[in-house]
Amino acid sequence: MTLKEKYGGKALVAGASEGIGAAFAEYLASEGMDLILIARREGPLNRSGDDLEKRYGVNVKCIPCDLAEEDTQQALEKELAGMEIGIMVYNAAVSYIGPFMQDTPDNQTRAVQVNIAAPLRLVRHFGEKMLERRRGAIILMTSMAGLQGSGFLSLYAAGKAFSRVLAESLWYEWKSQGVDVIGCCAGATSTPGYTNSRPAKKNLFAPAVLRPDQLAAECFKRLGKQPSFITGRANRIASCFMHRIIPLKTAVNIMGDNIRKMYGIDDRMSR
Ligand SMILES: NC(=O)c1ccc[n+]([C@@H]2O[C@H](COP(=O)([O-])OP(=O)(O)OC[C@H]3O[C@@H](n4cnc5c(N)ncnc54)[C@H](OP(=O)(O)O)[C@@H]3O)[C@@H](O)[C@H]2O)c1
């Protein structure tokens, strides 16, 4: 059965203009699904939408908006109220790399809005309609950073833990009601966002970097079969070591040390 047959003909990708979100959009278009694409920057979003329409002959509606704004979240729900969304992918994220106390309160509020409040709201909105129809799928993008405490990525990691646990919990609650939920737990993936963060140093525990299209294909292969998954074999092996073999304290130290080295963070900056 195709995705379209199983879940319906329309999908929404929140955070869709580039990187992993664009790869999800392309995968869904290649399956013949019409799309609603959301991101802040109108130019890249429209270009991506036009390109998918031309190449796959699907209908694409682009909605440029900032998911950090509560009014926007509300307006989106109204605008999309009558639409039957078969698959919802929540991919947008705010990530700050650095000492917790050096991030601004405003930026931290934005991170909570984009990484926690908006996915919660959209899951509730679309989940309710999917449950009524007894079909649908929700994919929440999360991260290996959220599998344990991750110093210098603290709020981002906490938000990603929220999304993963929410996905896993709803997978259980909704699996008998025709709605599939999955947490897609990514390791390093070659996106503009990842490259722009300029990870400097590699070491023994540095993750294997996947391509966004590999990640999207793996996610659709696992959708409906498990509550969450870690992308890529090398990442799964690293996670097995970090979460099953060594003590939590060691894992948290390794993660914090790696991030500090990768991004050249000075300990004195933490205070
Ligand atoms: N890349 C990695 O190595 C990696 C690793 C682990 C987890 N992840 C997760 O995978 C997801 C995608 O990562 P990525 O690297 O592809 O991210 P990205 O390059 O930063 O792209 C994120 C997408 O979301 C949109 N977006 C960001 N903030 C938004 C906002 N406030 N409102 C609406 N749209 C917004 C961006 O477009 P605009 O800028 O135009 O808004 C873009 O289309 C994220 O959830 C990230 O946490 C990525």
Side-chain angles (χ1 to χ4, degrees):
M1 200 188 285
T2 64
L3 286 180
K4 200 170 165 176
E5 286 161 356
K6 186 161 186 195
Y7 300 114
K10 210 183 279 284
L12 178 144
V13 184
S17 56
E18 60 184 27
I20 293 169
F24 272 115
E26 171 144 14
Y27 190 100
L28 290 160
S30 76
E31 289 272 317
M33 294 192 77
D34 292 335
L35 296 171
I36 315 276
L37 303 182
I38 296 171
R40 286 164 303 178
R41 289 165 299 152
E42 196 166 357
L45 186 65
N46 287 340
R47 275 195 293 282
S48 168
D50 290 348
D51 177 53
L52 294 177
E53 279 190 334
K54 272 189 210 122
R55 286 198 291 136
Y56 296 103
V58 294
N59 293 315
V60 182
K61 179 180 170 68
C62 293
I63 307 182
C65 65
D66 186 350
L67 289 159
E69 309 292 335
E70 250 181 86
D71 293 353
T72 302
Q73 296 166 20
Q74 231 169 22
L76 258 181
E77 283 178 359
K78 276 200 189 131
E79 185 168 353
L80 303 176
M83 275 184 202
E84 195 176 308
I85 303 293
I87 300 179
M88 196 275 281
V89 182
Y90 194 92
N91 171 74
V94 169
S95 64
Y96 165 80
I97 303 167
F100 177 82
M101 291 306 282
Q102 304 247 322
D103 197 6
T104 65
D106 276 358
N107 201 43
Q108 292 183 334
T109 303
R110 279 185 64 78
V112 170
Q113 280 298 330
V114 178
N115 301 352
I116 298 175
L120 173 62
R121 193 163 183 153
L122 295 186
V123 164
R124 194 173 169 100
H125 180 81
F126 292 111
E128 187 178 22
K129 291 168 196 304
M130 289 174 187
L131 289 168
E132 278 165 19
R133 292 196 301 273
R134 294 188 75 81
R135 73 168 181 164
I138 293 177
I139 296 169
L140 299 183
M141 267 315 295
T142 165
S143 166
M144 291 180 78
L147 294 175
Q148 69 294 296
S150 296
F152 306 117
L153 274 179
S154 52
L155 186 54
Y156 170 80
K160 291 300 175 185
F162 169 86
S163 289
R164 179 179 53 80
V165 175
L166 181 67
E168 292 173 354
S169 309
L170 296 180
W171 170 83
Y172 179 81
E173 282 189 36
W174 294 352
K175 70 186 157 99
S176 56
Q177 299 180 60
V179 180
D180 294 327
V181 185
I182 194 164
C184 175
C185 191
T189 312
S190 56
T191 65
Y194 177 73
T195 309
N196 293 340
S197 75
R198 303 212 265 167
K201 295 191 178 127
K202 299 218 170 214
N203 59 40
L204 184 62
F205 298 106
V209 180
L210 288 192
R211 290 193 322 268
D213 61 308
Q214 292 174 309
L215 179 154
E218 194 178 358
C219 185
F220 285 110
K221 211 168 82 189
R222 292 173 187 271
L223 177 65
K225 300 193 178 92
Q226 54 197 98
S228 69
F229 76 102
I230 293 169
T231 59
R233 193 160 173 270
N235 288 328
R236 285 192 286 279
I237 293 168
S239 169
C240 182
F241 172 74
M242 290 279 279
H243 306 113
R244 293 197 189 169
I245 296 176
I246 62 175
L248 174 66
K249 182 175 160 188
T250 313
V252 173
N253 274 324
I254 288 175
M255 197 69 185
D257 288 351
N258 278 348
I259 294 163
R260 186 171 43 198
K261 280 185 203 132
M262 276 171 81
Y263 293 100
I265 295 165
D266 187 333
D267 246 350
R268 283 163 304 179
M269 291 159 65
S270 302
R271 292 189 281 270

